[in-house]
Amino acid sequence: MMKDRVVSVLSNTKVADGIFEMVVHSEDFPELIVGGQFIHIALPSLAHPLRRPFCIANFDMSAKTITVEYAVVGEGTEILSRVENGTELKALFPLGNGFSLDADYKTIALVGGGMGVAVLPAIPTTWQDKDYHSFLGFATASKAVLVDELSKSGKVYIATDDGSLGEKGFVTSLLASKLAMIKPDAILCCGPEIMYKSLARELEGMDIPVFISLERRMGCGVGACLVCNCKVKTPKGDKYLRACVDGPVFPMKEVIL
Amino acid sequence: MSNLKVNIAGVDFKNPIIPASGTFGFGREYNEFYDISELGGFSTKGLTLLERDGNANPRIAESPMGMLNSVGLQNPGVEYFIENYLPWLKTIDTRIIANVAGSTVDDYISICDKVSIDGVDMVELNISCPNVKAGGAALGIDPKNVEMITRAVRDTCRKPLMIKLTPNVANIADNARAAEAGGADAISLINTVGGMAVNYKTRRPVLANVMGGMSGSAIKPVALKMVWQCYNAVNIPIVGLGGITSYTDVLEFMICGASAVQVGAANIYDPMASYNIVKDLQRYVDENNIDINELVGTLKVD
């Protein structure tokens, strides 16, 4: 059975310009969480009834905590940013398929763009025996998050649009420039769709499996309401699948970007 | 003695709580959270003769105490439903209402025939989907068309027939009378209220389809008013919906004339919503020792 849980907020702090990190705890904790899954949080506001889906940035099975990183982009996240420690929130987790790593994938390139980097730390937490290389892209240095966290799991390469941190330019170009050296068995990626298009161009002609996590406005989060549709190639032709239960992770070659 | 059982057009429901079409899929997702046989019944995702992809993304936006959607009747088609979902639904002890839609009168006639089979307890005719040209909205607005489409499907629909009415009309009581005149066994109302969400920064609509249908608590006053108007206009039973999120909402709708209710947006906010409403309503009738049917249409306006 699936269940709706109540989590209590342990911390909710600003970690970069307009970006917050929230850690929540629940004694009633699931037995399994994998990187790439998400948590669907109800806001403490009757006027804002839709839950907000956030990727599980990290988790701790023994402490029974989930970490979420979010940018304040609208009314909902603004309300969330003012939630105080100890507040109890309804939350559905873990939802979605998450990433799936074959045993023979040894070297993994993690690629994040903007808030998409928030998906990445839970991956080394889930699969600890891999060799990770993280490629993080931000608009500017003041928007950079999770750099230290990802440094614990391997080398981190950074690109910013304005060159204020790391290299100036696109993170996808930075990744492309290091591919021959790193030779990743798989690339796991989360960011805006324009980044996936750029990644697809950079990797053209190469045979590296790429898995991407899609972001959608979401309703129920459990597969019933069909609002989080993503167009995906299937044996029956191009179909709208649900980001919440069929995804949010898909092989990039199957997604119609 | 306390009682939650209701009867709509000859169909017995163990309680008056029915998740609304489009908010409950085909029941499987919510059965992962609780035994859906606890519900009076549920109305399936809108079915069409052929599979439909639905509208582009985004399909959902929030509004104060509500939401807008423009899914556009994405569904696997009626044959797929019959082959893949209905066999499992037959094993569930709850009433199954097949919600059906079409583009033409012939579509409606044909799909009503297809779903009039074992396992389906009732047919809900969606002539009010605001999100697709093919959703029958044109058939649901003019009372003359409401009567015409109801009469047209009456022969092939061999199950109790419920017509789902849109609030986006001049006078919903006229549409209710038209459904009754055409031979409907019941009416359900209201479908979503037409609406929009706009991003002032980008000057773009939030929904890819520009316009959508509004639901949730924000529309409850509109729905209550229309249920009351229709209750005073027709003799067939009314299934009320529009912004129900609690058992007290259910009581209000029944007092205004609904014989049962549907719960829509609340399922999207909270997977346990319909189940919790059943439990709360049971507690209420037990504590007050009432038969829920006694409430129907008891609004005091003198």
Side-chain angles (χ1 to χ4, degrees):
Chain A
M1 290 298 260
M2 289 175 68
K3 66 202 298 191
D4 197 10
R5 293 179 162 89
V6 174
V7 296
S8 64
V9 176
L10 295 185
S11 65
N12 187 25
T13 50
K14 192 172 175 181
V15 290
D17 181 19
I19 301 171
F20 285 71
E21 180 177 280
M22 177 181 270
V23 180
V24 298
H25 168 265
S26 175
E27 260 317 301
D28 178 15
F29 212 71
E31 285 173 20
L32 182 69
I33 295 175
V34 300
Q37 289 188 298
F38 69 97
I39 180 168
H40 208 27
I41 301 178
L43 298 173
S45 164
L46 283 175
H48 300 83
L50 291 176
R51 293 189 186 214
R52 268 47 177 185
F54 299 102
C55 63
I56 294 174
N58 217 336
F59 58 93
D60 185 327
M61 299 306 285
S62 54
K64 300 183 176 179
T65 59
I66 300 261
T67 302
V68 165
E69 306 272 328
Y70 62 95
V72 174
V73 294
E75 288 178 25
T77 42
E78 205 279 321
I79 290 167
L80 202 62
S81 72
R82 286 188 278 113
V83 165
E84 294 180 355
N85 292 353
T87 306
E88 295 200 321
L89 303 170
K90 280 184 159 185
L92 290 160
F93 68 97
L95 298 181
N97 57 356
F99 289 97
S100 158
L101 291 191
D102 286 4
D104 54 350
Y105 295 164
K106 302 292 187 201
T107 302
I108 311 291
L110 304 177
V111 185
M115 281 317 298
V117 301
V119 168
L120 305 179
I123 296 167
T125 302
T126 311
W127 295 277
Q128 296 176 357
D129 58 340
K130 312 284 186 190
D131 179 20
Y132 291 101
H133 302 264
S134 296
F135 294 83
L136 314 180
F138 303 104
T140 186
S142 66
K143 298 276 186 190
V145 289
L146 296 170
V147 175
D148 293 345
E149 182 70 24
L150 284 158
S151 299
K152 294 177 198 163
S153 310
K155 189 160 173 55
V156 172
Y157 303 84
I158 298 174
T160 49
D161 293 350
D162 61 4
S164 55
L165 185 66
E167 293 197 18
K168 185 176 193 307
F170 292 131
V171 68
T172 45
S173 308
L174 182 58
L175 169 73
S177 72
K178 306 289 181 193
L179 279 178
M181 182 182 79
I182 294 169
K183 298 186 181 65
D185 298 313
I187 297 172
L188 314 187
C189 184
C190 185
E193 299 213 353
I194 190 163
M195 183 174 127
Y196 299 145
K197 285 180 185 167
S198 157
L199 185 64
R201 274 194 305 273
E202 297 282 5
L203 298 176
E204 212 168 320
M206 290 182 231
D207 196 24
I208 309 171
V210 183
F211 301 90
I212 60 175
S213 175
L214 297 179
E215 180 179 49
R216 288 291 183 276
R217 281 176 181 264
M218 224 171 247
C220 65
V222 298
C225 75
L226 309 183
V227 304
C228 59
N229 53 316
C230 314
K231 196 153 253 185
V232 176
K233 291 174 200 155
T234 77
K236 290 162 72 185
D238 296 350
K239 296 285 177 203
Y240 275 136
L241 299 186
R242 302 160 295 183
C244 65
V245 291
D246 302 314
V249 176
F250 295 96
M252 186 165 73
K253 63 182 184 200
E254 292 176 9
V255 176
I256 315 250
L257 293 168
Chain B
M1 218 172 78
S2 71
N3 171 49
L4 274 188
K5 292 193 191 93
V6 299
N7 183 289
I8 308 291
V11 180
D12 288 317
F13 291 77
K14 62 179 75 167
N15 62 61
I17 307 304
I18 304 165
S21 180
T23 67
F24 211 71
F26 296 101
R28 288 188 182 190
E29 290 80 10
Y30 290 96
N31 200 58
E32 294 290 319
F33 284 89
Y34 60 89
D35 178 0
I36 63 168
S37 72
E38 296 278 348
L39 302 166
F42 80 89
S43 184
T44 66
K45 174 70 195 167
L47 297 164
T48 51
L49 281 176
L50 299 175
E51 178 183 8
R52 281 184 58 91
D53 286 343
N55 294 332
N57 188 273
R59 293 176 170 182
I60 191 167
E62 195 171 58
S63 57
M65 292 199 84
M67 55 171 273
L68 294 145
N69 88 81
S70 68
V71 173
L73 287 177
Q74 179 179 339
N75 82 94
V78 67
E79 302 287 357
Y80 190 92
F81 163 74
I82 291 168
E83 284 166 29
N84 295 278
Y85 295 123
L86 196 56
W88 175 73
L89 289 173
K90 281 183 189 175
T91 70
I92 307 287
D93 179 25
T94 195
R95 296 302 186 182
I96 305 302
I97 301 173
N99 182 288
V100 298
S103 308
T104 65
V105 174
D106 285 345
D107 286 351
Y108 279 96
I109 292 171
S110 177
I111 198 164
C112 282
D113 176 53
K114 286 185 192 292
V115 296
S116 291
I117 53 174
D118 186 33
V120 172
D121 297 295
M122 194 178 241
V123 174
E124 183 173 52
L125 208 66
N126 179 358
I127 52 168
S128 50
C129 179
N131 296 324
V132 292
K133 290 189 182 74
L139 293 167
I141 292 169
D142 186 334
K144 282 199 280 301
N145 286 335
V146 174
E147 181 172 343
M148 179 273 292
I149 188 72
T150 307
R151 205 178 293 284
V153 303
R154 194 54 279 192
D155 285 344
T156 59
C157 184
R158 300 176 304 280
K159 298 287 178 179
L161 173 64
M162 181 156 73
I163 309 293
K164 188 169 185 179
L165 301 180
T166 170
N168 308 311
V169 296
N171 180 1
I172 199 164
D174 289 341
N175 296 48
R177 284 188 205 98
E180 185 176 39
D185 298 303
I187 51 175
S188 52
L189 62 124
I190 56 176
N191 204 324
T192 54
V193 177
M196 278 174 67
V198 173
N199 182 331
Y200 74 91
K201 291 176 193 159
T202 59
R203 300 193 188 185
R204 298 189 70 83
V206 177
L207 299 173
N209 196 43
V210 184
M211 290 178 276
M214 190 177 163
S215 57
S217 300
I219 71 164
K220 195 184 84 171
V222 179
L224 282 173
K225 172 205 164 217
M226 292 186 168
V227 166
W228 175 240
Q229 286 178 299
C230 292
Y231 180 72
N232 287 294
V234 298
N235 292 310
I236 50 177
I238 295 167
V239 174
L241 69 150
I244 293 176
T245 64
S246 68
Y247 81 99
T248 56
D249 290 339
V250 176
L251 298 173
E252 290 168 21
F253 272 78
M254 295 187 79
I255 288 165
C256 286
S259 296
V261 298
Q262 293 185 3
V263 176
N267 299 307
I268 291 173
Y269 310 154
D270 177 354
M272 298 302 290
S274 291
Y275 175 87
N276 288 337
I277 292 172
V278 169
K279 295 299 161 193
D280 290 346
L281 202 59
Q282 183 70 58
R283 199 172 307 118
Y284 177 81
V285 297
D286 287 346
E287 284 172 8
N288 294 279
N289 196 31
I290 59 170
D291 178 339
I292 197 81
N293 294 286
E294 289 167 11
L295 292 176
V296 179
T298 56
L299 187 71
K300 297 172 185 172
V301 290
D302 50 301

